[in-house]
Amino acid sequence: MKHVRHFTPSLFLSLVHVCLVQANYAPYFFDNGARSTNGNMALLSLSEDTPVGTHVYTLNGTDPEGDPVTYGLTYEAGSRRYFSVDKNLGNVTLIEELDREKEDEIEVVVSISDGLSTVSEKVRILVMDANDESPEFVNTPYIVQVPENAPSGSSIFKIEAVDKDTGSGGSITYFLQNIHANKFTIDRHSGVLRIKTGVTLDYEKSRTHFVVVVAKDGGGKLRGDNKVFSATTTVTVNVEDVQDTPPMFIGTPYYGYVYEDTLAGSEVLTVVALDGDRGKPNNIHYCIVNGSEGSFEISNTTGAISVIKSPNQLKKEVYELKVRASEVSQEGDISVYAFAMVTIRVVDLNNHPPTFYGENGPQNRFELTMYEHPPEGEILRGLKITVNDSDQGANAKFNLRLVGPGGIFRVVPQTVLNEAQVTIIVENSAAIDYEKFMVLTFKLLAIEVNTPEKFSSTADVVIRLLDTNDNVPKFSSDYYIARIPENSPGGSNVVAVTATDPDSGLWGEVKYSIYGTGADLFLIHPSTGIIYTQPWAVLDAEVNSKYNFYVKAEDTDGKYSLAEVFITVLDVNDHSPEFNENIQEKTMIIGSPVKIEAIDQDAEEPNNIVDYSIMQADPANVFDIDQSTGEIKLKSYIRSLDIIHNITKNKDCIWSVVVQAKDRGSPSFSTTAVLKIDITEETLHKGPMAAFLMQTKDNPMKALGVLAGVMGIMVLITIMISTAMFWRNKRSNKIMPVRRIIKKRQTPQSRTVRMEWLKFKRPSNAAEKFVVEDDAKSLHNENSNNNIQFAPVLPTAPSPPPPPALAPRGDALGWRVPTVSGSLTPKFINKQLKKRGHGTAHNALVSELKMKFEKRNAAIGEPHI
């Protein structure tokens, strides 16, 4: 029982497995829709210009059990493989280039498999057309025979071209290249070639025509672009001759010679005539019309002319035979004809040289008058020259040569047998120039070639030239440069321009004129070319120093040339240096220069270069001036006011210096000015006090009142310092130098104050009006003797207190009140004072203030001794 239970489950599982295997369903493709890109490729169509490597389709299907599927592509045996497929993804790729014209349908077997079952389907893929083919002409080459009398407008040929494409890409239109240059037209749709309306063919002018025909398709898409293809072919149109042209003699003119030893019946020369219709020529029949006088005969078929009498029987020296050439048709009828003249000369043996003949017989000088520069290739028709050698055969062969200036003319022919008309042809027109040669002379040489005697003869050819207006007036220079001083009066000559015209007579006369924006101040003489200034013109180098304009030289026919004129107005020293003021006031701080400046209005150097010098100063040896810059400074040894005080007794330190500004022109001009220099030292600190003093420097009374108030507060300090100095000097008779006293001091700052010219500054409050700067450059000693020559460093004085409300009146005038050195009068007040004559009083007041300040500084230093 246990055995049965074990067997039954195993048998059941085996039966289930067999049933599942038998129930497996095959995979299948999804159906295509219109323009679908996945499925079984049943409705796929591709353009033949699809690039190789393009993903063109995706095979897509499924398995009912959901098993993974794979895809495949197979082809019939012998078929070209156009596609490949990714077996897992189903991506179909184009691997071979398509060509609809070779294969417009491709059969492919597609398959799908789930590993157990495989389903295959045969599908057809349509190849769509692209415009990838060019038209092709059929039945080429095209050669057409057309008679020359074909009527205009008649069709002569039909051209056919095919294009393997479909649609517009396969439609063809025809047209001709160079439609205006040929004699044919073509129907653009049918390709029928016709003779143009109003045009006829002529075999004698052109036997063959080459017509280029273009066939163009209607265009279409190719790889995304619209393409139009075309093809060309050449149609050869051969024109057939028709009998419509008379015969023509060749080798004319005809000359023949009968020598004294010529036998009767000998051939003299042969005339040749050809049918003008060269395609189907007729036979030619020759005959002598007149002039033979029974002495000559001609072969009817060959044209050979023979003498039928012995030379001694010939009564004339020259025979003129009129020969007729007639066309004989195939039926034997004589239709059209032509005439030629044959000249036969009776001559002796080789005993004559070549001889030149004119219209009246032998001639060895030929003259011709002609205009210069004839066209190249022109024949000198006025020269009627014939050359003849009476000998026979090789003895009558000679060369012609033109001896003279080479390359101008050439002679034709160069080799002559018996006789020829001499032609002289222009070879170099430019060399035939009246201005170079009024007369051209050549030697015309004829010399035999193959005779031992080398007989020769010459003739003079004289060509007289007539002038034409072939030259343009030409200036001697393309530009003219002139210079004229600015002080030149109106009507002054500037420059003479020269132009020449080598033509003769009136053609060589030159007329001058000028124009241009720079020509307003100038005139030109029309015949001499002299340029001069307008009578009213005033030149000024300082206003405009450069002018330029054009000058024109013109002949009577209007031929002209141009040149450019450049005129420079030269500067003349006509301005003097000018100072901005004749009297100037300057404040000089010791160690810093002051500068004067004068301007010279001249335009150029050296007229506007100014040199400066001091003409007068008192004392004379105090100032130096820089010649070029105009900077004035003290002599190098003057370093303080004390040194200046030792030089002069003028304590206000204001001097008048006469300075001169002189230019470098020739002649030179100069100007002098008076410079008032106020010398001071830079001692005041910039602050309210300095600003106040600058504001009141031109009002000394106001400054004196304010400073007197300040000094009233400092009177007690001054008395104490004076008393201490007195007792010290009384105890010791030795005068101690300030330098030693300074060494004993513990405070390094100097208390000596010296005021300088102050720059104007508006104080912000009343307390700032009395701030001053320190300067330790004053010279003094314990005894107030200022004659020592060294400058000790003094301690700095403390800032003075603000002035009291009421300044003392009664005793302020008795004190020695220090004052600020310098002019405190504003500039505009100074000018008024100068006009009123108060300059002396002003200078005295400033000097007094300066002396009081110096004494105050000396008194402040005494308590420190």
Side-chain angles (χ1 to χ4, degrees), residues 190-250:
S190 65
V192 173
L193 187 67
R194 292 184 173 87
I195 301 174
K196 275 185 181 179
T197 303
V199 174
T200 58
L201 304 180
D202 191 342
Y203 178 86
E204 285 70 35
K205 292 183 179 179
S206 180
R207 302 182 183 183
T208 305
H209 300 273
F210 299 98
V211 183
V212 179
V213 181
V214 180
K216 181 174 69 173
D217 65 20
K221 292 290 185 178
L222 177 64
R223 298 181 180 89
D225 296 329
N226 189 50
K227 295 289 185 179
V228 177
F229 292 97
S230 62
T232 60
T233 188
T234 300
V235 179
T236 302
V237 179
N238 293 324
V239 180
E240 295 179 344
D241 190 23
V242 176
Q243 289 296 327
D244 59 352
T245 305
M248 295 179 295
F249 285 95
I250 60 173

Side-chain angles (χ1 to χ4, degrees), residues 672-715:
T672 58
V674 177
L675 178 65
K676 291 184 177 182
I677 302 178
D678 186 357
I679 302 177
T680 185
E681 290 182 323
E682 187 177 7
T683 57
L684 293 178
H685 291 290
K686 296 180 180 179
M689 186 63 179
F692 172 77
L693 293 176
M694 288 300 296
Q695 293 178 11
T696 60
K697 69 177 184 177
D698 293 327
N699 192 349
M701 296 307 295
K702 180 179 179 181
L704 183 60
V706 175
L707 293 176
V710 176
M711 292 302 103
I713 298 174
M714 300 179 65
V715 167

Side-chain angles (χ1 to χ4, degrees), residues 92-144:
V92 179
T93 303
L94 181 66
I95 61 173
E96 182 71 25
E97 185 175 338
L98 301 175
D99 189 348
R100 186 200 65 83
E101 286 73 30
K102 294 181 179 179
E103 191 171 1
D104 58 357
E105 287 187 359
I106 302 173
E107 289 188 353
V108 180
V109 177
V110 298
S111 62
I112 184 171
S113 173
D114 63 358
L116 295 176
S117 300
T118 299
V119 176
S120 298
E121 296 181 11
K122 179 184 288 188
V123 295
R124 290 186 177 182
I125 299 167
L126 299 178
V127 181
M128 308 303 293
D129 186 44
N131 189 26
D132 60 343
E133 296 290 336
S134 299
E136 294 182 1
F137 291 95
V138 297
N139 301 324
T140 57
Y142 297 133
I143 301 175
V144 184

Side-chain angles (χ1 to χ4, degrees), residues 719-734 782-783 862 865:
I719 295 174
M720 291 174 62
I721 293 173
S722 299
T723 303
M725 291 295 293
F726 175 78
W727 286 108
R728 181 180 180 280
N729 291 338
K730 188 174 182 181
R731 288 193 301 269
S732 176
N733 294 327
K734 184 179 180 181
E782 294 175 352
N783 298 325
E862 290 178 358
I865 298 175

Side-chain angles (χ1 to χ4, degrees), residues 40-57:
N40 63 353
M41 294 179 69
L43 299 176
L44 179 62
S45 61
L46 291 176
S47 177
E48 64 176 328
D49 61 349
T50 302
V52 174
T54 302
H55 172 215
V56 298
Y57 198 81

